[in-house]
Amino acid sequence: MNNYTNDNTAKRYKAHVSILGISQIHLRNPYIIAWWSAAFPGFGHMLLSKYLRGYVLFIWEVIVNIKAHVNLAMIYSFQGNIDLAKDVLDTRWLLMYIPVYLFTIWDSYRTTVDMNKIYLLADNEDHSFNTFSLGAVEINYLDKRNPVIAVVWSLFVPGLGQLYVHRIMTSFFVIFWVVTFYYFSHAQEAVSLLFLGKVRQATAVINPEWLLFLPSHYGFATFDAYMSAIESNKLYKEVQMKYLKENYQATGFRLLKGQKVT
């Protein structure tokens, strides 16, 4: 059940609320989106709610990165072992990795510029959209969310912040991959050994190639949850303001700019 049925009378819509989440268009900085794509291919597209493209590029990054040993080469280069970094790279996979990596950055930047233009047109049209969705498995509605709480939950476990702001698809995806990264990196096992004072064992058990995925994952989950909460709050405010104007504001009301009312 939805509180609005799309009759396709509008050319563009700013948002849509479904049982799986809130998809919305709003102004974004193309350079920030491109930066997230550079940090981890797929993140920039997921920020734009281009989920299918983002998920495919994310999975591509994980598979090809591991096969080409990109993270391992980065670790060796950070340590100053340039020759070892060169030796560990698999050029067969690396030559496939570079073009897709560059495409991801370029495409996320281009898409952001296009969607900013679409948002301005949709905002000017200001057509109604669905704000409440009730289904057999889930309920979702446009409401206010605290951005700080979204950040806190994301720092505990990436994906919980998205669950708080009701981005179900992204939440499950992020949680699945953070579990995968933790499992293959042995990060939690290493932390347990550190608490026991076994530093050498903790260092030996860790898999740095998988561990290097985690900082970007935490950063994206936190940033996405925070921005989603803020933009959802803005959208809620706009919808409430429009509803109050249409149903409670006097038809003869006029806002006089530049004049003092005594």
Side-chain angles (χ1 to χ4, degrees):
M1 286 183 231
N2 299 317
N3 63 347
Y4 175 77
T5 301
N6 186 352
D7 54 7
N8 293 320
T9 56
K11 191 173 182 179
R12 302 169 185 86
Y13 297 89
K14 288 196 295 185
H16 174 70
V17 176
S18 70
I19 59 174
L20 294 178
I22 300 172
S23 298
Q24 86 179 90
I25 304 173
H26 58 84
L27 294 176
R28 294 177 172 90
N29 189 326
Y31 293 103
I32 292 178
I33 300 299
W35 185 89
W36 277 112
S37 292
F40 206 114
F43 281 165
H45 291 86
M46 281 191 266
L47 288 170
L48 296 172
S49 296
K50 307 273 287 184
Y51 300 118
L52 292 179
R53 191 176 305 189
Y55 296 162
V56 169
L57 289 170
F58 182 98
I59 295 171
W60 167 272
E61 162 68 16
V62 173
I63 294 174
V64 181
N65 188 307
I66 292 297
K67 292 294 184 180
H69 304 294
V70 174
N71 281 355
L72 197 57
M74 289 174 60
I75 293 169
Y76 287 141
S77 64
F78 292 155
Q79 295 172 345
N81 299 323
I82 306 300
D83 292 334
L84 193 58
K86 293 178 180 178
D87 293 337
V88 80
L89 283 172
D90 189 328
T91 54
R92 293 177 303 172
W93 285 95
L94 186 64
L95 292 175
M96 290 190 293
Y97 177 86
I98 295 174
V100 177
Y101 181 81
L102 295 176
F103 168 81
T104 302
I105 299 171
W106 171 81
D107 187 63
S108 63
Y109 179 91
R110 176 198 61 81
T111 304
T112 306
V113 173
D114 288 345
M115 291 184 69
N116 284 346
K117 295 176 182 177
I118 292 173
Y119 168 78
L120 294 175
L121 294 171
D123 187 54
N124 184 62
E125 193 168 355
D126 198 25
H127 202 281
S128 299
F129 55 88
N130 182 41
T131 59
F132 179 89
S133 184
L134 174 64
V137 295
E138 188 59 85
I139 303 172
N140 189 23
Y141 49 89
L142 196 60
D143 197 6
K144 284 189 174 182
R145 294 288 186 268
N146 190 327
V148 176
I149 293 179
V151 168
V152 170
W153 282 117
S154 295
L155 292 175
F156 277 125
V157 177
L160 293 184
Q162 280 73 18
L163 201 60
Y164 170 68
V165 297
H166 208 100
R167 287 168 62 88
I168 303 297
M169 296 289 290
T170 302
S171 173
F172 288 171
F173 187 84
V174 170
I175 290 174
F176 171 82
W177 280 104
V178 76
V179 171
T180 302
F181 294 152
Y182 267 125
Y183 179 81
F184 285 105
S185 68
H186 302 281
Q188 292 177 321
E189 186 178 351
V191 170
S192 300
L193 290 170
L194 282 175
F195 281 135
L196 296 174
K198 302 177 180 179
V199 179
R200 289 186 179 180
Q201 293 183 29
T203 305
V205 78
I206 202 76
N207 186 332
E209 196 168 13
W210 285 92
L211 182 68
L212 210 58
F213 287 125
L214 283 171
S216 298
H217 209 65
Y218 266 90
F220 165 76
T222 305
F223 178 80
D224 179 61
Y226 179 79
M227 292 305 300
S228 295
I230 288 178
E231 294 301 330
S232 179
N233 289 346
K234 290 180 181 178
L235 193 63
Y236 172 81
K237 184 178 179 180
E238 289 179 12
V239 170
Q240 286 294 96
M241 187 164 37
K242 184 179 179 181
Y243 174 79
L244 293 173
K245 283 182 178 179
E246 291 177 351
N247 294 274
Y248 294 99
Q249 183 171 289
T251 55
F253 177 80
R254 293 292 182 272
L255 183 61
L256 302 177
K257 295 183 179 180
Q259 299 183 25
K260 293 184 179 180
V261 180
T262 58

